[in-house]
Amino acid sequence: MDIWGPTLTGPVIRSVFNAKTAELMSHHQVEVNQSFPKEGWVEEDPKEIMQSVYECMERTCEKLCQLSINISNIKAVGVTNQRETTLVWDKETGEPLYNAIGGCILHLNEQVSLRKYFLWVRAGGNQHYIKHKTGLPISTYFSAVKLRWLIDNVDEVRQAVQDERAMFGTVDSWIIWCLTGGKNGGVHCTDVSNCLGDQSAALVGQMCFQEGQAKNTYGTGCFLLRNTGTKPVMSDHGLLTTVAYKLGKDDPACYALEGSVAIAGAVVRWLKDNMGIVQSSSEIEKLAAAAGTSYGCYFVPAFSGLYAPYWEPSARGIICGLTQFTNRNHLAFAALEAVCFQTREILDAMNQDSGVPLTQLQVDGGMTSNRLLMQLQADILCIPVVRPSMSETTALGAAMAAGAAEGVGVWNLSPSHLPHVTSEKYQPQINSDESEFRFARWKKAVQRSMNWETTEPCCNANGTQLQYLSYSEKIRLK
């Protein structure tokens, strides 16, 4: 069984799998509301997250009973979640001290710039000091900066830290602590990969256990992971080095190169909710298919900056190549192409870091139901794209790891015992010259999107404190 904590799109999911066949036996999903207190802020209510978990557990068990399956047959529970969502709660009362902070938070960019400066000074000018130690750059996407902001800006958090009452964790820690007793002896833990964080779980669910295998998950964003084996590979091309999985306390950790696309499915939501170009997410495939081309239109959805391989927070979204002939069908096609182009950039970086070109990409996530998108992806990558028939690969990966855990042993993860999952393969249908031409135009558009939001350092009145003011703030101060 798997419990899937909220991702950037907000659902809590519970799925039950057959440990011998990987068949999905029962499934229930509850959406968790997101709040946006200010522009660039993304928050969720930790208590609502747990209420959704309890509801999913109850509904899933009810469905099992309707299938005449005894719930006592459930042998293990796995947890997966969006990895960087950050929570702080009171260990004495069990109450959250602030909302869960998720996503790439724009209002933390100034703090990131300031901390980059101080770390640069501390490390003697070595700008890669943190990345060499953690595999990650300093970014508002990761938990450390969010935790620092909570301590600095939320009185309840700061006081709880001083009183040694504060407990910090990502969503996996919060869920496990609550399910194991909460303030009455709850277990406060995580593991080297968040108890299989969502993308690590998808890598396991796709059964990418061999060095060199890769998968891409298409959700609100895109997350491409490539298994690099038991040795971490440091990227020279803007990728992250991360722990893929560690399936037992005595087993070695396996690592991965990871590239993140901030905006994938979110671009469809933007076209629907903000622009009114489509009425539903499923409509975009019909509109794009009707056009069959972007007609020279290129869309860079850098709404919150660019992630891998650029890590450029100053970028902003742009649409290039518009003419009087351009219509919403062309924009729909350009939006889908943007997802594929961003994936191509990450895959190219991975090929350069590893020195071995990928020959096939395994895919999963909600957007993979869009057949046009999958064909576009194969065309732009110039390699086959393979989509499993069972789309819940993240949930499956968490269930597999739980079932294979020491003391449980109902799932054998050796290569000869892995279950066979049927899949659909998309072959490239355009020549490589056409693909390269379109990709080169995309990269030209990306350059146009950069350095849109600029900040400049200045000192306060006594010249001792470094500050970063945006142009609009300077105008306001004048």
Side-chain angles (χ1 to χ4, degrees), residues 10-282:
V12 168
I13 304 171
R14 192 189 192 196
S15 306
V16 179
F17 295 90
N18 185 311
K20 294 182 179 179
T21 65
E23 178 188 0
L24 180 63
M25 307 296 293
S26 181
H27 172 89
H28 191 77
Q29 175 174 323
V30 176
E31 292 291 328
V32 176
N33 293 316
Q34 291 184 326
S35 60
F36 307 92
K38 297 180 181 180
E39 182 182 3
W41 296 38
V42 184
E43 299 179 1
E44 292 174 342
D45 182 349
K47 298 176 79 171
E48 184 183 351
I49 291 173
M50 283 311 305
Q51 185 56 44
S52 300
V53 168
Y54 296 134
E55 181 180 343
C56 278
M57 294 171 70
E58 292 175 5
R59 299 289 87 80
T60 304
C61 288
E62 287 176 3
K63 292 177 181 179
L64 286 175
C65 291
Q66 292 169 4
L67 295 171
S68 299
I69 298 174
N70 192 331
I71 61 173
S72 65
N73 289 335
I74 297 175
K75 300 301 182 185
V77 177
V79 177
T80 182
N81 68 118
Q82 195 271 328
R83 294 162 292 171
E84 289 79 22
T85 297
T86 300
L87 300 91
V88 179
W89 64 95
D90 190 314
K91 68 178 180 181
E92 295 179 3
T93 67
E95 291 294 310
L97 296 171
Y98 193 77
N99 281 340
I101 302 178
C104 187
I105 309 302
L106 293 180
H107 72 89
L108 299 182
N109 277 335
E110 291 181 12
Q111 188 177 72
V112 166
S113 298
L114 190 62
R115 296 197 179 281
K116 279 183 178 179
Y117 172 78
F118 286 121
L119 283 167
W120 179 79
V121 172
R122 180 178 178 183
N126 180 3
Q127 60 179 323
H128 300 298
Y129 172 74
I130 290 294
K131 188 172 183 181
H132 286 161
K133 294 179 73 68
T134 67
L136 309 175
I138 301 176
S139 168
T140 64
Y141 189 69
F142 306 117
S143 298
V145 174
K146 297 171 187 174
L147 179 59
R148 182 74 260 174
W149 182 87
L150 285 167
I151 294 172
D152 290 345
N153 294 276
V154 180
D155 292 339
E156 293 82 356
V157 173
R158 182 168 55 254
Q159 188 61 51
V161 170
Q162 293 173 356
D163 297 342
E164 299 185 348
R165 294 180 287 107
M167 302 189 85
F168 155 75
T170 42
V171 176
D172 58 318
S173 298
W174 169 243
I175 290 176
I176 293 171
W177 188 79
C178 290
L179 291 180
T180 55
K183 63 181 180 180
N184 299 314
V187 177
H188 187 211
C189 67
T190 186
D191 80 342
V192 293
S193 68
N194 267 173
C195 299
L196 282 182
D198 50 4
Q199 303 312 320
S200 297
L203 192 74
V204 171
Q206 288 273 24
M207 302 176 207
C208 295
F209 294 116
Q210 301 300 312
E211 185 176 343
Q213 290 182 310
K215 69 88 202 172
N216 194 25
T217 298
Y218 298 74
T220 301
C222 275
F223 299 89
L224 203 160
L225 265 67
R226 181 168 183 160
N227 189 327
T228 62
T230 56
K231 182 179 179 180
V233 175
M234 301 306 294
S235 174
D236 294 321
H237 299 89
L239 303 179
L240 308 179
T241 303
T242 187
V243 176
Y245 53 83
K246 187 178 187 297
L247 301 175
K249 64 179 182 180
D250 297 322
D251 292 341
C254 286
Y255 295 87
L257 281 172
E258 177 176 7
S260 304
V261 172
I263 303 296
V267 75
V268 181
R269 178 181 292 183
W270 181 81
L271 289 174
K272 178 174 71 73
D273 296 342
N274 292 41
M275 307 304 291
I277 289 176
V278 296
Q279 301 304 311
S280 65
S281 297
S282 59

